Every structure is written in C-alpha cells, then in structure tokens.
C-alpha cells in the first residue's frame, strides 16, 4: 500500500518548496517530489531559480560588476587599479558555492519542518496518487488528499537553433562558460538575455542582442525602456530590434547566424549563442491521461482564481500556470494554496506582483504602464523624478534613470510605479506595499523618507504627481 500524505508537492522550485514548507507549518503531513540533479549528481532542491536561474545569475552579475567597476567607476573616486584580471574558474566557482549553499539550505528547512523529500520525476495519477520515477528507472507510488503541481518551466528552443550545450546554449549553459567568449550572440532582449548578456559584456565579450520585436522591453513602461536602452548602448550592448533569427549553423568553433530586419537579410558570426526567447510551462509527463486536469493552448495548467484545477484536491502554482513567470509570484501562490488547503484565508494579488531586471542600471515596476492605462481609458496623472537630482545617487556615481508614478486622476490611487536606476529592485517594495493597501500618491508624498537615500526619488515622484516636487521644476 502506498504511503499516504495530506499534501504532495510535485516540484521543489520557489513555488513548490515554499508550498511544502508552509503546508508542513500548518500541521499537514507533506511530501515534495523533485528530480533536479546538481553538478555533484545528487538531488538539488530549489528548481531552476536556485540552480540555474535567479541566484546563480545574480552571483555572476555581482562578480562581473565588481570587475567592471575597477575600470569604469573607480577612477572617478580617485582609485586606480592596474592589471586587473578575471580568474574564470574562481568566478564560476563562487557562483557554484552559493548555489550549493542555498539548495542545501532548502534540504535543512525540509528536515526542520518535517517535509519528506523524494528524488525523482513525479507524475499525477487519477485519484491523487503520485508515481515517482527515479533516475535509475525505479518506480514507487505515494498518495495524498491534496496534490500541488509546481513543475515549473523550461527554455523555449528554436527549431533551427537547437541547444547543443556547447555552442548554442540556454540560460544554464550561459552560466558555465569555461572562457569569456570573444563574440556572444543573444537571441531575445528579455530579462535573461539582458542580464546574462550584461555579465559577459562586462568581462570583455562583444555582445550582440537580436530582438524580433520592434520595441525594446515592450512589457515595461515606454519611458523607462527608453532610458534603459540608452544606458545599455553606452555600456556597449549592441541591441538590434526587429531582427528575426532565421538560421543558426555551427561551423567549426563558431556559430553562423542569419537574421532579417526591415533592411533585409544579414549574417553574423559568434563564438557562443545564447537563445533566450522565453520559457514554456513544463508539463511533459506530469499528468496521466485520466486525471481530468486541463491544459490551455500554451500548455499551462488551467486553474481558477484560487489556483485550483477543478479536480478535487489538485492545485497548481508557479510557472506552470497563468500569470508572470516570476519566482516570487510562484512562492506566494504556494503559500496561498497551502493556507487554502488548511482552511485559512490565502491571498495572492497578481496586479501588484513586482518585476525586476537586475541589469546595470536596474529596472523595476509594478502595476499598469502608461500605455495600458491609455488603452483601457483610465484617467491618470503622472509624476517623475530623476536620480540625477538625488544626492545619494550622485555621491555613489550612479545618478542614472528615474522613478515614474502613475495615479488615478480622480481617486489618486497608485496604479503603477516604474523605475530604472540604482537599487530600484529594493525601492519597488515600498510602492508595492502602498498599492496593496490601495494607497494614494499623496500617502507616499506625506511619508518622511530618510535623507540622503535613494528612496527620496520615490518620495519626490509621488510629490510630482500633484506638481509639488521640491527638488525639480514642476
């Protein structure tokens, strides 16, 4: 007879492992099934985010920034360093050590909360049984009253540029280059393409980014995207818009690319090619045919506003369902579902999920863009404030970008906040709190912000909504 649990979570990424921990905290007997294998060949909890996504990419971004600062930012402070160089083994090794620390930390959290971890690929069977297939092909079945599907996502592969993990790589491959590519091609100017392109550009790679869409960062506010594009150009990222890749062929130790834009066909040769055109829900082999769980036209698991699939006791969260493919969104869905299962009031508001791109400068936003408000016919007013007028930013030599705040023209409720500049990944949190509590721009304008801090840009942008900013003309 199979072992019985209150909750089984399939997937141990940011959505799954958080759901498992929260369910266990609520007194539910919980198991978590995951098949991710680390560099050491052992189970590595944490999914894409901790192993080959959020955490390792930020480690490399920070390391590359330290190196870049030596040549480009320290001289203005009167600091000169001669002969700086990168030991790529140590560079990558630091990233691997951080990954190991955090994946191991999840294992310890599982033990502390009495979550039972199973190593293998989980498959939902009818009746809320879960079949686990180990890497050696062995099978076992466990069952639960509730099953939470948190299978995550995988990179989209182009049929004419298939991953070989040597010359044509996905996000995981771009984290483990053994040498700095002289020429790096990036397909897709989204979060992954810009972040990893920035890493290798800082280390000396000649980076060309091909983006099929005509507009840069179309998901962001247009004013913020425009500022970011200008700064990336100064950094030396060669971003070509409206450029559609049509062919990628490995020739010797190079990749020959053909792409088309408004001026016709062009050729480009690179040493490595990172394909970062997006991700798709990973549901391959996840569901037996008779479970009753439905997938939409994009392969995502269909759920209601409470992340329930419509099948008794079956829920789904994270990248495998609708909404932004963001680790923190998945984590909060995991908490909410665990609480709903336990009979409590779970909560997740997709309208206030913050987005962050950890480039230099950083980009962050939450809520509606100005274009969205125009298209929806919502009356709004705008306030902006540049970091060039923020003393702390100038003292840091990072006086780039601005904060843009959008508020309802009649109620003053904050509808969206968009930022590009230093530390905005942290500054956006204040705005999310205000939005979650249905705050107004006046609320933020009347709150005392410490001086000198970067957060004063948020304060002044809020003041600017009603044309009463102090440190700029209105």
């Amino acid at each position: 007879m199979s072992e019985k649990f209150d909750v089984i979570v399939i997937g141990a990424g940011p959505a799954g492992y958080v759901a498992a921990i929260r369910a266990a905290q609520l007194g539910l007997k919980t198991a978590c099934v995951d098949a991710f294998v680390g560099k050491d060949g052992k189970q590595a909890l944490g999914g894409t985010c901790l192993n080959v996504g959020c955490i390792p990419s930020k480690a490399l971004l920070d390391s590359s920034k330290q190196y870049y600062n030596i040549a480009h930012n320290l001289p203005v402070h009167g600091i000169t360093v001669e002969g700086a160089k990168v030991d790529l083994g140590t560079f990558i090794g630091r990233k691997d050590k951080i990954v190991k620390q955090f994946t191991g930390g999840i294992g310890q959290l599982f033990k502390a909360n009495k979550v039972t971890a199973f190593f293998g690929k989980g498959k939902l069977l009818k009746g809320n049984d879960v079949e686990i297939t180990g890497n050696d092909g062995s099978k076992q079945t466990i069952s639960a009253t509730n099953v939470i599907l948190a299978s995550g996502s995988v990179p989209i592969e182009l049929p004419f540029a298939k991953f070989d993990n040597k010359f044509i790589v996905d996000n995981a491959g771009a984290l483990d280059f053994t040498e700095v590519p002289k020429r790096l091609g990036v397909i897709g100017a989204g979060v992954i393409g810009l972040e990893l392109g920035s890493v290798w550009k800082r280390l000396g790679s000649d980076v060309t980014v091909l983006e099929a869409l005509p507009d840069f960062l179309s998901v962001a506010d247009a004013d913020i995207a425009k500022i970011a594009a200008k700064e990336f150009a100064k950094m030396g990222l060669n971003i070509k818009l409206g450029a559609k890749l049509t062919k990628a062929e490995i020739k010797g130790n190079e990749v020959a690319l053909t792409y088309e834009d408004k001026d016709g066909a062009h050729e480009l040769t690179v040493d490595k090619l990172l394909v970062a055109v997006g991700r798709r829900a990973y549901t391959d082999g996840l569901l037996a045919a008779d479970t009753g769980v439905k997938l939409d036209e994009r392969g995502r698991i269909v759920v209601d506003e409470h992340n329930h699939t419509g099948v008794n006791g079956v829920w789904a969260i994270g990248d495998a369902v609708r909404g932004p493919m963001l680790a923190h969104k998945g984590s909060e869905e995991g908490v909410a579902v665990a609480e709903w299962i336990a009979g409590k009031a779970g909560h997740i508001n997709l309208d206030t999920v913050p987005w962050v791109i950890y480039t230099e400068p950083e980009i962050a936003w939450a809520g509606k863009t100005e274009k969205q408000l125009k298209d929806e016919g919502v009356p709004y007013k705008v306030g902006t404030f540049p970091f060039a007028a923020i003393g702390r930013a100038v003292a840091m030599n990072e006086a780039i970008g601005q904060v843009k705040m959008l508020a309802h023209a009649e109620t003053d409720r904050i509808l969206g906040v968009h930022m590009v500049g230093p530390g905005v990944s942290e500054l956006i949190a204040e705005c999310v709190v205000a939005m979650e509590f249905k705050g107004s721009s006046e609320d933020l304008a009347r709150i005392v912000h410490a001086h000198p801090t970067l957060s004063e840009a948020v304060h002044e942008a809020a003041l600017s909504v009603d044309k009463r900013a102090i440190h700029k003309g209105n």
Side-chain angles (χ1 to χ4, degrees):
M1 187 174 180
S2 64
E3 188 172 358
K4 181 77 173 182
F5 292 87
D6 296 316
V7 176
I8 297 172
V9 183
I10 299 179
Y17 87 74
V18 170
I21 290 172
R22 184 62 185 134
Q25 287 176 345
L26 292 167
L28 301 170
K29 183 180 179 183
T30 305
C32 188
V33 182
D34 193 82
F36 203 102
V37 180
K39 281 190 171 183
D40 58 3
K42 299 178 181 179
Q43 183 179 33
L45 302 170
T48 293
C49 179
L50 267 68
N51 284 280
V52 291
C54 323
I55 301 304
S57 64
K58 302 313 165 285
L60 294 191
L61 278 163
D62 190 73
S63 292
S64 63
K65 180 180 178 180
Q66 304 301 329
Y67 177 71
Y68 186 83
N69 281 346
I70 289 174
H72 298 276
N73 291 332
L74 290 187
V76 74
H77 294 281
I79 302 170
T80 303
V81 178
E82 300 290 343
K85 61 181 181 179
V86 174
D87 180 327
L88 206 57
T90 302
F91 183 86
I92 299 297
R94 174 181 177 271
K95 177 262 297 181
D96 291 341
K97 184 178 179 181
I98 291 170
V99 168
K100 187 73 173 175
Q101 174 185 337
F102 278 91
T103 58
I106 295 173
Q108 293 301 314
L109 289 171
F110 273 11
K111 289 179 181 178
N113 289 281
K114 297 182 172 58
V115 175
T116 303
F118 288 89
F119 191 9
K121 182 173 175 58
K123 181 178 184 177
L124 177 67
L125 307 179
K126 185 177 181 180
N128 296 2
D129 288 342
V130 173
E131 179 184 79
I132 304 170
T133 303
N135 290 340
D136 59 359
S138 62
K139 294 181 183 295
Q140 62 176 310
T141 301
I142 58 178
S143 62
T145 306
N146 291 276
V147 177
I148 302 174
L149 305 173
S151 52
S153 62
V154 292
I156 293 174
E157 187 174 45
L158 297 175
F160 47 85
K162 290 187 174 297
F163 303 127
D164 73 338
N165 298 318
K166 184 177 181 183
F167 295 103
I168 302 177
V169 303
D170 59 10
N171 58 288
L175 293 169
D176 275 332
F177 289 151
T178 55
E179 60 183 15
V180 178
K182 185 176 180 182
R183 300 161 299 178
L184 173 64
V186 178
I187 309 303
V191 177
I192 294 172
L194 291 173
E195 289 185 356
L196 293 179
S198 295
V199 167
W200 298 105
K201 175 59 186 175
R202 290 173 186 166
L203 298 186
S205 187
D206 182 7
V207 179
T208 300
V209 182
L210 304 180
E211 171 55 56
L213 296 176
D215 298 319
F216 178 67
L217 271 185
S218 58
V219 294
D221 187 88
D223 290 338
I224 298 302
K226 183 177 180 180
I227 295 171
K230 184 182 294 186
E231 293 305 319
F232 294 149
K234 288 180 183 178
M235 179 183 173
L237 278 180
N238 183 14
I239 301 174
K240 298 181 180 295
L241 300 175
K244 184 178 181 181
L245 181 71
T246 57
K247 186 178 181 180
E249 186 178 3
I250 299 172
K251 295 182 177 181
N253 292 323
E254 299 176 331
V255 186
L257 308 178
T258 301
Y259 68 94
E260 295 179 353
D261 61 15
K262 60 182 177 59
D263 297 320
H266 306 270
E267 295 183 348
L268 175 68
T269 300
V270 297
D271 301 295
K272 301 285 186 183
L273 178 66
L274 164 60
V275 178
V277 295
R279 299 178 68 84
R280 64 174 179 85
Y282 179 59
T283 53
D284 303 356
L286 176 67
L287 306 168
D290 58 354
T291 62
V293 177
K294 294 180 173 60
L295 303 180
D296 67 13
E297 70 282 355
R298 294 172 58 183
R300 300 173 302 185
I301 301 167
V302 176
V303 294
D304 63 16
E305 69 274 17
H306 293 105
N307 289 78
H308 193 260
T309 65
V311 176
N312 189 35
V314 181
W315 315 72
I317 59 178
D319 285 4
V321 303
R322 81 287 180 266
M325 288 184 171
L326 299 170
H328 43 284
K329 172 262 194 182
S331 293
E332 292 308 315
E333 284 180 328
V335 170
V337 166
E339 292 177 349
W340 283 321
I341 289 172
K344 297 184 178 296
H347 170 81
I348 175 69
N349 182 3
L350 297 181
D351 292 334
T352 56
V353 173
W355 291 68
V356 179
I357 304 177
Y358 298 85
T359 45
E360 194 70 24
E362 292 182 342
I363 305 166
W365 70 91
K368 303 283 189 178
T369 65
E370 186 169 0
K371 182 179 185 303
Q372 287 173 324
L373 294 177
K374 284 182 179 178
D375 291 346
E376 294 170 11
V378 177
Y380 66 92
K381 47 189 178 178
V382 183
T384 63
F385 198 82
F387 282 101
I390 296 296
R392 180 71 185 277
V394 174
M396 293 165 58
N397 195 39
E398 295 185 44
I400 297 168
Q402 70 171 14
V403 174
K404 176 178 180 179
M405 189 171 296
L406 302 164
H408 197 284
E410 298 164 1
T411 67
D412 195 36
R413 181 175 172 181
I414 301 170
L415 303 174
V417 184
H418 308 269
M419 311 174 177
V420 56
V424 298
S425 59
E426 303 293 342
L427 297 183
I428 194 65
E430 174 186 12
C431 302
V432 172
V433 170
M435 293 170 68
E436 189 66 29
F437 282 91
K438 298 178 171 53
S440 66
S441 70
E442 185 180 3
D443 289 327
L444 285 181
R446 290 188 179 279
I447 293 173
V448 178
H449 290 67
H451 173 77
T453 63
L454 297 175
S455 70
E456 290 178 284
V458 174
H459 186 218
E460 290 273 7
L463 287 165
S464 174
V465 169
D466 285 320
K467 301 188 183 307
R468 56 193 188 98
I470 300 300
H471 293 93
K472 76 160 194 171
N474 293 294

